[in-house]
Amino acid sequence: MSSIHTAKVADYVAALHALKEDDRLRRLRPREGIDFVSNDYLALASAPRMKKAVFAALEAGTPIGAGGSRLLRGNCEEHERLEAEAAQFFGAETALFFGGGYVANFALLTTLPQRGDLLVLDALVHASIHEGARASRADFRISAHNDPQSVENTIRDWRTQGGMGRVWIVVESLYSMDGDFAPLEDLVAIAGRHDGFLMVDEAHATGVYGELGRGLAASYEGQGNLLVVHTCGKALGAAGALVTASTDMRDFMVNRCRPFIFATAPSPLMAVAVREALLILQQEPERQQRLAKLVAFTHREIGMRGGRSPSASQIVPYIVGDNGRAMRLASRLQARGFDIRGIRPPTVPVGTARLRISLTLNIGEEDVRAMLDALFEETRGEAR
């Protein structure tokens, strides 16, 4: 490598070295071991029905790629059928299909809140929401995690300081690293009192919670001040994201949302796959029920071993604290055949490095018992 090239990349090398020294250097790893890490909660990613639906679509002439943006020739019948069926399934006026949950969150926050508005973000929302807020025209502030009073106080302080615009409250219904649930009833009420909007990211709840997997915000769908992001790459086993909203909001996004207007449309085959996943939710409710039983079983098993489960969902964090210790523990469990990954800052707050244990229908009760036995042996039964 030439000295000129070395000088050009020196800053990047130094940054990587600093990450390594702090036990935060990331590397790509292959899939190995029993799945305790994926978000394929209902085991739909490899389900025969999903494969059959995609194969049939290919045989019928569905193109692999859309070939253009939705406003040009990329608007396919498969997209429109999915959006119509999704709106009906979730109980919303309309739906709009994006290429992924990250881009959907970013797109909403950089399009709908206007200059002079206020975004109130829960402290633990996904990185895509933070990035969207930073790029938004609106001001944004952070409220304490799952604390409705903090949201209320943040709005009132902003009004006292002269804020005159619209308020947007942005939360996840189920938090991806802590596995806890948002107080949606309180947040809906706060949004109503302040004539504001509530945006709910249902990424880890869609397919898992609510009647037939409609999500935790299902009972509020259809309200004009609610926007919901239903990620399709987790429990739905495909890719993309559906935004459910009022007709006016959808039309505004189609006309003003740059990540929608200037992006090639998602693959029509993914629209077919998501449609099939929504049908499976309705026709095979036993998947949702089996997962609920596995979640309850796991939390009971943790208690029986003297542990304390910090969540009540399919996401079970084991807080370690120190980055290096978390990664060493993950490596030992991987060596014993369990695919469990360590999560470190900035994904989680400093000092809360953890194992994120994910429960899916790709595993069974015996797998859970074996994993918990290994975890408690490796940690000498420490309760976290």
Side-chain angles (χ1 to χ4, degrees), residues 68-115:
S69 70
R70 290 285 297 277
L71 288 173
L72 298 178
R73 194 174 171 84
N75 188 42
C76 299
E77 176 188 358
E78 290 81 6
H79 299 131
E80 295 201 346
R81 289 185 67 185
L82 168 61
E83 289 166 345
E85 292 175 16
Q88 183 176 18
F89 174 74
F90 290 113
E93 280 189 29
T94 63
L96 192 61
F97 191 41
F98 285 85
Y102 192 109
V103 71
N105 282 332
F106 187 87
L108 292 188
L109 294 171
T110 54
T111 302
L112 296 177
Q114 301 299 300
R115 188 169 285 107

Side-chain angles (χ1 to χ4, degrees), residues 120-126 130 141-146 170-171 175 349:
V120 182
L121 313 184
D122 184 280
L124 296 186
V125 289
H126 192 265
H130 284 282
R141 299 187 184 182
I142 307 298
S143 64
H145 178 54
N146 275 351
V170 189
V171 301
Y175 286 87

